[in-house]
Amino acid sequence: MNATDVMTANVITVTPQTSVRHLAELLGRHGISGVPVVDSANHLVGIVSEGDLLHRVETGTERRSEHRRARWFDGLVGDHDIARDYLKSHGRAVGDVMTRDVVTVAETAELDEIADLLESKRIRRVPVVRDGKVVGIVSRANLVRALAMAERRPADGVVLDDFAIRDALLAELRGKPWAKAGSAEIMVRNNVVHLWYSDDQPVAEQQAIRVAAENTPGVERVEEHLVHVPMSRVL
């Protein structure tokens, strides 16, 4: 799946001249947390979110320079930062408070690429652009909806027998650092996978092997069994 499969196409946008007050009303009315900022030709010039409106003079939440300088890292706070804080808290137009360095993706971007961007950049949404123009937006909520609509991978109409299921599961586990040889005994009977773990095996590894088994085509159920490891073996 790529961006076009999950993106919101009818994107609400604002311009740099939009007032901050109107922006706040827009976010509240539509129940969204951010919007792209475009020029008259619909070219992306920035993005603005509710995070840009947290510290505002109207609500008494603006950052005060004397407080910033009093903190332990006051040596790292320069006049430029204080001026930027003032602009964010007192600016009346979107152009004063928006973020200009915007992370974007193309329509063909794969979902794993988008998920990595949202996580690594610590952002909630990413505009989808074509020739510099906004054609959609993908948010974390869009990815969650895609998960809700996703179907389990079909087995292409092939009914796997127990031996084929075991081979498919072993092939999936092969090369995984958390699925070393002997990390679990695997048996399949009547499409039910039985997994035996030693009781000293990390729980995360057990869970990962279980999930791999559950996602193997043809598997109807997974049963897990713990085998006690004698202290003499541990020592």
Side-chain angles (χ1 to χ4, degrees):
M1 297 178 72
N2 54 36
T4 54
D5 295 317
V6 302
M7 71 182 189
T8 299
N10 297 320
V11 184
I12 298 172
T13 61
V14 295
T15 70
Q17 294 75 37
T18 301
S19 72
V20 168
R21 182 182 180 87
H22 179 70
L23 168 65
E25 293 173 350
L26 192 68
L27 296 180
R29 182 165 66 251
H30 292 278
I32 54 179
S33 59
V35 292
V37 185
V38 299
D39 61 16
S40 57
N42 201 39
H43 286 103
L44 183 68
V45 296
I47 196 164
V48 63
S49 72
E50 57 191 11
D52 296 308
L53 307 180
L54 284 180
H55 299 285
R56 293 291 302 179
V57 65
E58 298 92 335
T59 56
T61 56
E62 75 275 19
R63 287 195 176 101
R64 293 176 172 80
S65 58
E66 61 270 20
H67 290 170
R68 290 199 66 167
R69 290 188 181 279
R71 291 183 288 185
W72 65 268
F73 54 88
D74 57 350
L76 301 178
V77 178
D79 291 340
H80 172 76
D81 299 299
I82 297 172
R84 185 178 57 191
D85 286 347
Y86 187 88
L87 184 64
K88 283 269 191 181
S89 61
H90 291 73
R92 303 180 68 178
V94 165
D96 296 325
V97 302
M98 71 182 186
T99 298
R100 297 178 183 273
D101 185 14
V102 186
V103 177
T104 64
V105 296
E107 296 166 280
T108 54
E110 297 290 335
L111 292 196
D112 60 340
E113 174 189 347
I114 296 173
D116 288 342
L117 272 177
L118 295 179
E119 182 179 36
S120 63
K121 300 295 183 181
R122 297 183 179 181
I123 54 179
R124 293 183 175 275
R125 67 201 63 79
V126 58
V128 182
V129 298
R130 183 198 309 145
D131 298 327
K133 296 185 177 182
V134 178
V135 295
I137 193 164
V138 177
S139 68
R140 295 188 178 199
N142 291 123
L143 294 185
V144 172
R145 294 187 192 106
L147 171 62
M149 296 175 61
E151 297 181 357
R152 185 174 175 177
R153 289 178 298 176
D156 296 326
V158 177
V159 179
L160 299 181
D161 61 22
D162 292 342
F163 294 103
I165 289 174
R166 186 175 187 274
D167 288 344
L169 176 54
L170 289 173
E172 173 64 21
L173 295 176
R174 192 172 298 121
K176 301 290 193 300
W178 41 263
K180 308 175 189 68
S183 60
E185 293 291 336
I186 300 171
M187 292 183 62
V188 183
R189 291 291 182 272
N190 300 320
N191 298 87
V192 177
V193 175
H194 294 266
L195 301 171
W196 279 268
Y197 315 106
S198 60
D199 59 3
D200 63 343
Q201 185 173 2
V203 173
E205 292 183 8
Q206 297 178 24
Q207 293 173 333
I209 295 171
R210 171 182 54 79
V211 167
E214 290 173 340
N215 287 326
T216 301
V219 172
E220 295 181 1
R221 190 171 76 254
V222 176
E223 294 190 5
E224 300 173 278
H225 314 273
L226 283 180
V227 178
H228 176 64
V229 179
M231 287 301 295
S232 59
R233 176 183 161 186
V234 176
L235 298 174

